[in-house]
């Protein structure tokens, strides 16, 4: 479906993308995750034929982005971070215009416009001017514009940026709803959103893919910070510490009221977590709770984007 | 090719739905009316001279209007983030440019059409031929097309509409003043520079009711060259921005 091979992009002397390679199969919802400036938008714009790569190649359904950009654009719908909508047009007229530009046949156009209006929940505002729409509806209208020509691949650049929590939930449903008919590639710097919406994640950092795979693949074996609350005396944890357990690092302990101790540590994997609890029990502590302070994906993302790729490189699915 | 017509229609709708579009129409028609009354009708004149004067000052308002009409063509789309819609559609750059040009030119032709009541007064009350009026309007339409082409080129280069207007204005003034340079240069080079003159060399004959094929070809070539350059600028943007 989509194949990127060694894609490079230089802006003057600055490297925006460096040897980016990945593959996306039909029907997947894939998330591009990265900090601002990681190269997500540049990569998406190359995929959509808006930018030409400095090196490497991109194939979408076997069509090369450089050799045949028009054929490429026919099979892609793109929503940039700012929806490309004319404020002086109604939502319906906007969709008709986008459909015509993408070569939707005249007899098909009205049916397609009605379909995408229903799919994106725009029925209530279909006759309203774009200028009068709320931010959430503008994002939906942007998505409708991107899919009105029934493209195989839909590319969404930060589709939930600036939405309120209720709108995020609605937008998530809209994006998941696209999966039945389209392959979806979306970018975001919001971990939770990518985690909730996407089947697979590509983590981009400093213009390179530093990890890719499903969330479960990525976080398996990844170190996570946990908080343990246990009954016992803090003095029992002084040197020699009973917590010298393989895979347990960065241990902090605090005494709290009621004879309880709060302990924070980074555990490398499930075995280390079990070892930590076992060590506490052997030392005479009554373990009340073990709570992760960050999700596995969050922890992995922080490691990768802090330049600690080597620490995560051992995780399955992490690019070398 | 049909995509160019869709883009042109959208462009025309954009002018008619905006305050700027109506403001340009109102101000140019007001200026035409005032100049017609204050200059063309002042004193005793033959109707031929009145009509010639009308086409003389209308060339100025047409050039100014063309710059303001064209400044938004690409600069505004980029400012508002709507350029992506055209860039991501399966429409070649030259069709986008053609569509934009046709939309802007249609708006200018509408403006020229609305000014038609002024020469109509001369035709009804004086002794001039309809051919003179048609030749004059052909000259205005061609001059306007060339200026809109130049404006489109400037708009494709500039970051915002004001810069686009300034750049287009500078190019047009340079072409208007090329005759002064031509006088300093001898030989065939001087002839070529003189031929580039946007107004004196090519427009004056239209204002007198005469159509010269060489001048028609000049305006057509200038418009084509400007639109070709605009297409090249848009294509080049895929390499950098």
């Amino acid at each position: 479906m989509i194949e990127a091979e060694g894609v490079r992009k230089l802006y003057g002397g600055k490297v925006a993308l460096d040897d980016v390679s990945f593959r996306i199969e039909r029907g997947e919802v894939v998330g591009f995750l990265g900090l601002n400036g990681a190269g997500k938008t540049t990569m998406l714009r190359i995929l959509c034929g808006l930018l030409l790569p400095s090196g490497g190649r991109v194939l979408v359904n076997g069509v090369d982005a450089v050799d045949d950009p028009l054929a490429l654009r026919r099979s892609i719908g793109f929503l940039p971070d700012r929806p490309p909508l004319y404020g002086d047009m109604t939502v319906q007229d906007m969709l008709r215009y986008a459909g015509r530009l993408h070569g939707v046949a005249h007899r098909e156009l009205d049916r397609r416009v009605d379909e995408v209006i229903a799919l994106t929940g725009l029925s209530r505002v279909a006759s309203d001017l774009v200028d009068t729409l709320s931010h959430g509806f503008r994002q939906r209208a942007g998505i409708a514009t991107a899919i009105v020509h029934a493209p195989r691949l839909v590319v969404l650049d930060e589709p939930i940026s600036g939405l309120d929590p209720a709108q995020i939930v609605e937008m998530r449903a809209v994006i998941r709803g696209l999966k039945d008919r389209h392959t979806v590639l979306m970018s975001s710097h919001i971990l939770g959103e990518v985690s909730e919406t996407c089947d697979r994640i590509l983590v981009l950092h400093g213009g390179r893919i530093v990890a890719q795979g499903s969330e479960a693949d990525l976080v398996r074996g990844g170190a996570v910070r946990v908080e343990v609350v246990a009954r016992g005396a803090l003095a029992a944890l002084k040197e020699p510490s009973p917590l010298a357990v393989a895979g347990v690092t960065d241990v902090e302990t605090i005494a709290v009221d009621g004879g309880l101790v709060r302990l924070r540590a980074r555990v490398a994997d499930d075995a280390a977590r079990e070892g930590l609890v076992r060590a506490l029990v052997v030392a005479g502590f009554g373990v009340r709770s073990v709570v992760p302070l960050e999700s596995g994906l969050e922890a992995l993302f922080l490691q990768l984007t802090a330049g600690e790729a080597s620490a995560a490189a051992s995780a399955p699915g992490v690019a070398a | 090719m049909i995509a160019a017509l869709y883009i042109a229609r959208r462009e025309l709708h954009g002018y008619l739905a905006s305050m700027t579009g109506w403001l340009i129409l109102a101000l140019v028609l007001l200026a035409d009316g005032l100049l017609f009354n204050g200059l063309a009708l002042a004193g005793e004149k033959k109707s031929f001279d009145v009509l010639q004067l009308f086409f003389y000052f209308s060339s100025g308002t047409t050039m100014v209007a063309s710059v303001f009409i064209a400044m938004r063509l690409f600069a505004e789309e980029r400012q508002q983030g709507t350029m992506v819609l055209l860039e991501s559609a399966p429409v070649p750059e030259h069709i986008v440019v053609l569509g934009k040009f046709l939309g802007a030119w249609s708006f200018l032709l509408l403006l020229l059409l609305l000014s038609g009541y002024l020469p109509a007064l001369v035709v009804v009350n004086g002794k001039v031929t309809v051919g003179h009026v048609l030749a004059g309007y052909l000259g205005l339409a061609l001059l306007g097309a060339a200026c809109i082409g130049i404006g489109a080129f400037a708009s494709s280069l500039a970051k915002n509409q004001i810069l686009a207007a300034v750049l287009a204005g500078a190019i047009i003034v340079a072409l208007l003043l090329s005759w002064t340079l031509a006088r300093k240069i001898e030989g065939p080079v001087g002839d070529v520079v003189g031929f580039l003159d946007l107004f004196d060399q090519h427009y004056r004959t239209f204002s007198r009711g005469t159509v010269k094929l060489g001048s028609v070809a000049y305006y057509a070539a200038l418009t084509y060259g400007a639109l070709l350059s605009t297409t090249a600028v848009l294509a080049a943007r895929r390499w950098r921005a």
Side-chain angles (χ1 to χ4, degrees):
Chain A
M1 177 72 199
I2 305 174
E3 212 174 332
E5 289 177 7
V7 175
R8 276 173 65 78
K9 182 66 188 175
L10 305 172
Y11 291 118
K14 193 184 166 212
V15 179
L17 292 174
D18 187 14
D19 196 23
V20 173
S21 299
F22 60 86
R23 192 182 165 85
I24 297 172
E25 299 300 333
R26 179 181 290 223
E28 281 189 294
V29 178
V30 175
F32 246 128
L33 189 59
L35 299 173
N36 291 327
K40 303 187 296 293
T41 298
T42 299
M43 189 63 230
L44 295 187
R45 291 177 81 89
I46 287 174
L47 275 176
C48 297
L50 297 175
L51 263 182
L52 294 170
S54 309
R57 68 174 190 162
V58 171
L59 295 173
V60 178
N61 297 317
V63 176
D64 190 299
V66 177
D67 293 346
D68 197 349
L70 294 186
L72 178 96
R73 285 182 239 160
R74 251 177 237 118
S75 61
I76 293 180
F78 180 47
L79 172 69
D81 53 353
R82 190 173 160 202
L85 304 169
Y86 295 104
D88 55 35
M89 293 175 100
T90 66
V91 172
Q92 266 175 333
D93 288 344
M94 185 67 231
L95 295 178
R96 281 200 192 96
Y97 178 57
R100 286 186 183 119
L101 282 181
H102 281 87
V104 177
H106 189 69
R107 61 184 178 284
E108 291 270 304
L109 193 58
D110 284 342
R111 186 182 60 78
R112 274 302 299 163
V113 168
D114 290 344
E115 264 181 28
V116 296
I117 283 177
L119 182 67
T120 51
L122 286 166
S123 307
R124 196 154 52 86
V125 296
S127 303
D128 292 0
L129 285 177
V130 168
D131 260 348
T132 64
L133 299 182
S134 67
H135 183 62
F137 276 121
R138 285 177 78 95
Q139 287 295 102
R140 285 169 185 236
I143 291 183
T145 304
I147 62 172
V148 70
H149 56 293
R152 290 190 201 167
L153 171 65
V154 180
V155 177
L156 310 172
D157 192 5
E158 304 276 2
I160 54 149
S161 175
L163 298 182
D164 64 37
Q167 289 170 332
I168 287 175
V169 172
E170 290 169 2
M171 183 58 71
R172 196 182 294 151
V174 169
I175 295 171
R176 294 297 302 182
L178 297 177
K179 190 184 175 184
D180 300 335
R181 297 184 188 181
H182 312 274
T183 302
V184 180
L185 176 57
M186 63 172 270
S187 77
S188 182
H189 58 275
I190 302 172
L191 286 165
E193 203 42 51
V194 172
S195 164
E196 287 281 341
T197 315
C198 301
D199 302 325
R200 204 151 63 82
I201 298 166
L202 304 172
V203 184
L204 200 59
H205 183 59
R208 297 179 72 94
I209 298 269
V210 290
Q212 55 180 305
S214 68
E215 184 183 357
D217 286 342
L218 291 177
V219 301
R220 193 176 298 140
V224 176
R225 197 155 174 76
V226 295
E227 182 178 270
V228 180
V229 176
R231 179 179 41 77
L234 187 61
L237 295 175
K238 300 294 180 198
E239 297 296 332
S241 171
L243 300 179
V245 178
V248 176
T249 54
D250 303 339
V251 180
E252 296 169 32
T253 52
I254 310 161
V256 291
D257 292 341
L260 296 175
V261 170
R262 189 166 65 204
L263 178 152
R264 287 178 180 172
R266 184 169 296 283
V267 292
D269 50 27
D270 289 342
R273 192 184 307 213
E274 288 170 15
L276 174 63
V277 174
R278 196 181 307 118
L280 283 168
V281 171
V282 168
F285 284 86
V287 176
R288 296 270 178 96
S289 66
V290 182
V291 179
L293 293 176
E294 57 198 12
S295 75
L297 185 61
E298 199 173 29
L300 179 76
F301 183 69
L302 290 173
Q303 283 176 0
L304 293 172
T305 54
E308 296 172 21
S310 58
S314 57
V318 174
Chain B
M1 186 63 186
I2 196 156
L5 297 179
Y6 292 138
I7 294 169
R9 195 166 75 177
R10 154 65 222 159
E11 203 59 39
L12 189 57
H13 175 271
Y15 288 113
L16 296 176
S18 73
M19 176 77 90
T20 315
W22 288 103
L23 207 60
I24 291 171
L25 275 180
L27 289 177
V28 170
L29 290 174
L30 179 68
D32 280 349
L34 290 174
L35 290 167
F36 185 76
N37 200 47
L39 295 178
L41 295 182
E44 291 287 318
K45 287 191 186 75
K46 290 179 182 172
S47 47
F48 176 89
D49 294 331
V50 172
L51 197 56
Q52 191 184 342
L53 260 176
F54 166 75
F55 284 120
Y56 174 76
F57 62 68
S58 288
S59 65
T61 56
T62 298
M63 282 188 278
V64 172
S66 298
V67 167
F68 284 108
I69 288 170
M71 68 182 184
R72 71 193 287 269
L73 284 175
F74 297 100
E76 188 188 46
E77 295 258 13
R78 274 199 302 279
Q79 278 177 298
Q80 296 190 345
T82 47
M83 195 64 202
V84 177
L85 187 68
L86 295 171
E87 288 171 338
S88 61
V91 180
E93 281 88 358
H94 69 273
I95 295 292
V96 172
V97 171
L98 180 63
K100 289 262 175 193
F101 167 75
L102 289 176
W105 196 41
S106 305
F107 186 69
L108 179 74
L109 293 180
L110 173 68
L111 193 159
L112 294 178
L113 190 69
L114 291 175
S115 73
Y117 75 97
L118 295 169
L121 288 173
V122 184
V123 172
V124 170
N125 299 308
K127 287 182 180 173
V128 290
T129 63
V130 175
H132 186 172
V133 176
L134 293 178
Y137 270 111
L138 177 64
L140 286 177
L142 289 170
L143 178 66
C147 291
I148 285 177
I150 292 166
F153 172 63
S155 187
S156 70
L157 285 173
K159 279 185 177 171
N160 60 55
Q161 297 187 60
I162 295 167
L163 281 178
V166 170
L167 181 59
I171 295 171
I172 289 170
V173 167
L175 286 172
L176 285 173
L177 296 178
S178 62
W179 65 272
T180 56
L181 187 61
R183 286 169 59 183
K184 307 270 182 196
I185 305 170
E186 290 181 357
V189 177
D191 294 341
V192 170
V193 174
F195 185 76
L196 289 177
D197 178 26
L198 190 66
F199 181 81
D200 215 44
Q201 185 82 17
H202 299 287
Y203 179 77
R204 275 196 192 280
T205 51
F206 287 106
S207 68
R208 293 190 198 109
T210 310
V211 176
K212 266 172 49 182
L213 275 182
S215 296
V216 173
Y218 163 79
Y219 285 122
L222 186 58
T223 307
Y224 181 74
L227 297 183
L228 204 63
S229 306
T230 310
T231 303
V233 171
L234 293 192
R237 284 194 181 278
R238 291 192 192 273
W239 283 107
R240 52 195 175 92

